Structures are given as structure tokens and as C-alpha cells.
Amino acid sequence: SYFPSGNCFFMRFSCSSSGPFTSNVAFATTYSGFDLTDSGAGCTAGDGTKNVFAIFEDEVGNSSSAVSDSIVYDETNPSILVS
């Protein structure tokens, strides 16, 4: 485990490896509360590939390095042409 205590208690997110990051939220294996367009977390508006960075923290404040993944963000409603 990365943490000396073996336990992860918090996580925070950004669209930039250097931040700014969101405030800590309780650790969970899934999380849907991060807004990929939040400029306060280094994100930009609009569709496209977004990089998401996360930092994890244990109960005594030890933080991991930022880890990342990418997602394609698309707000365009689908359209269907029936002929």
C-alpha cells in the first residue's frame, strides 16, 4: 500500500496535474460529483478529451502523487434521422 497506515480516507480532483484541486471528499471506489467543466478545478468548458487527476490522502495527511486518466466529454445530444 502507498500509505503507511494502509488506509485511504480522502481524495481530490483536478483537470491539471498541478491543480487547483477540489476540496477533499471521502474516499470511494466510484465518484460522480466532479464537474469536468469546473474552471475552479483547472477544467475548461466544451466537448473533447479531458484529463482527470486525483490525489489520495490517508487519515494523517500523507498524500499520493497525482494519478490520471482521460475521458471523452460530449454534451451534444444524439440525433437520429429517420427517412
Side-chain angles (χ1 to χ4, degrees), residues 4 18 21 26 50-51 58 61 82:
S18 59
F21 281 80
K50 308 279 186 174
N51 294 310
D58 69 8
V82 179

Side-chain angles (χ1 to χ4, degrees), residues 9 14 25 42 49-50 52-53 59 66-67:
F9 277 72
S14 178
V25 295
T49 300
K50 308 279 186 174
V52 178
F53 296 84
E59 73 273 16
V67 295

Side-chain angles (χ1 to χ4, degrees), residues 21-83:
F21 281 80
T22 62
S23 298
N24 281 347
V25 295
F27 175 77
T29 56
T30 62
Y31 184 70
S32 61
F34 181 60
D35 180 357
L36 291 168
T37 63
D38 180 6
S39 62
C43 305
T44 57
D47 294 349
T49 300
K50 308 279 186 174
N51 294 310
V52 178
F53 296 84
I55 293 177
F56 300 93
E57 189 174 304
D58 69 8
E59 73 273 16
V60 295
N62 297 309
S63 294
S64 71
S65 299
V67 295
S68 67
D69 203 351
S70 61
I71 186 169
V72 176
Y73 184 74
D74 180 1
E75 287 187 296
T76 306
N77 290 327
S79 62
I80 299 172
L81 176 62
V82 179
S83 56

